[in-house]
Amino acid sequence: MRQRGWGRGIFFALGLSAALMAQAAPAQERLVLASGAVQGGYFLTGGAVCAQINKQTTQHKLYCAVAPSGGSVENLELLRASQVDLALVQSDWQYLAFEGTAKRFAGAEKVANMRAMAALSSMPLALLAREDAAITTLSDLRGKRVDIGRAGTARRLVMDDLLAALEWDLGAFELASEFPQQEALDALCAGQLAAVPIVDISPSSQVRAALRRCKLRIVPIDAAVVAKVVAAKPYYSAIKIPSSTYPGTKTDIASFGQRIVLVGRFKVADTDAYNFVKALVENLPALAKIHPSFKGLTPQSVAKGGIAIPLHDGAARYYREAGLR
């Protein structure tokens, strides 16, 4: 989408680098990337992406402008209406909106003009358990007081899918509470709950704060369970939480979760999509220096993890040539 101004005035560049703040020259193609709330994880991720792209503008003639938004659902609506070129969306919403299986995107409202380009930051399940609750594996959750998250939240979606893979119902627990996240963490630290799931961009400030506040551990998810969940729901991927992510964690923790997926309109030129993805994949170490959520990403995980819809033709060509798909 060639932009000559900021449209309605809702778009502005994130000041992560001088390159991002520069004005695009007329010969450059300006691509608008819908992200999330200002200062939130999606906005910072989008800003990091645009900053890296704009460092190489003279090479690929692309200029990336990050736009704040209300998050995944609004980003999908903006993309469907062709008001933006690119968007960051949670991997489950990517799948549900493209397939038209979510109520908000059912039938004619599905986002049929969307194509996947890259899988970025991970949102793993961090299953926090009290150290004195004798929970070191999933099977230890039986008979315990566990929060499963409020209906409609990412925490609840992940827990529902985990329970389905385990073939458990809520009767497996002494109590299955449905607290808002902060209330659940308060109850966990107070000893009123034994375990609480957190689903957040990794590294998560909320997980880190909880681990510092009270004596907790992160429970690993069995490999067989991870495989079963990922096979049943294509928008999940296996994720390892590195030992260096959180204080007191001595080994990598196996889990699964969603990814933030970079998607674009299928009408974005193939050459532009190719160059955009190339600039991302070949500069992952530089991106990790801009924002910690890029740490641990590999070219292979960017090409495959959590992508559950067709790839943009330009992105697919790059991945084929790079031997990544």
Side-chain angles (χ1 to χ4, degrees), residues 109-132:
E109 298 301 310
K110 70 179 182 180
V111 190
N113 66 336
M114 172 174 58
R115 297 293 183 269
M117 293 178 62
L120 302 178
S121 309
S122 62
M123 299 177 64
L125 165 63
L127 184 56
L128 301 180
R130 291 181 59 86
E131 287 187 353
D132 60 8

Side-chain angles (χ1 to χ4, degrees), residues 10-11 34 69 73-84:
I10 65 169
F11 301 134
S69 75
V73 172
E74 183 178 343
N75 291 350
L76 289 163
E77 292 172 340
L78 290 168
L79 197 74
R80 181 180 58 198
S82 298
Q83 293 181 19
V84 297

Side-chain angles (χ1 to χ4, degrees), residues 2-15:
R2 195 170 294 279
Q3 301 280 334
R4 297 190 181 277
W6 289 110
R8 300 177 183 176
I10 65 169
F11 301 134
F12 59 95
L14 178 65

Side-chain angles (χ1 to χ4, degrees), residues 193-241:
L193 291 172
V196 169
I198 301 295
V199 178
D200 195 9
I201 294 175
S202 183
S204 166
S205 60
Q206 296 203 26
V207 171
R208 184 178 288 114
L211 290 169
R212 287 174 174 165
R213 178 182 171 192
C214 42
K215 294 183 178 180
L216 307 173
R217 62 166 55 95
I218 302 177
V219 180
I221 310 300
D222 302 343
V225 175
V226 170
K228 192 172 182 179
V229 172
V230 172
K233 304 289 184 178
Y235 44 79
Y236 286 127
S237 57
I239 299 172
K240 281 190 177 181
I241 303 174

Side-chain angles (χ1 to χ4, degrees), residues 38 65 84 103 118-119 166 191 194 212 267 270 281 305 309:
V38 176
V84 297
K103 184 177 180 180
L166 291 169
R212 287 174 174 165
K267 287 189 176 180
D270 288 357
V281 173
I309 66 172

Side-chain angles (χ1 to χ4, degrees), residues 25-106:
Q28 296 167 358
E29 183 70 10
R30 175 176 286 179
L31 299 176
V32 178
L33 169 61
S35 57
V38 176
Q39 301 304 322
Y42 277 57
F43 187 73
L44 295 175
T45 297
V49 168
C50 282
Q52 185 58 48
I53 294 299
N54 294 344
K55 287 180 181 179
Q56 298 176 288
T57 294
T58 56
Q59 300 173 37
H60 48 54
K61 307 303 181 186
L62 295 176
Y63 178 81
C64 178
V66 64
S69 75
S72 290
V73 172
E74 183 178 343
N75 291 350
L76 289 163
E77 292 172 340
L78 290 168
L79 197 74
R80 181 180 58 198
S82 298
Q83 293 181 19
V84 297
D85 306 288
L86 309 169
L88 297 178
V89 299
Q90 211 166 276
S91 54
D92 57 339
W93 277 113
Q94 157 220 216
Y95 176 78
L96 297 172
F98 183 81
E99 294 292 330
T101 51
K103 184 177 180 180
R104 192 155 185 170
F105 297 104

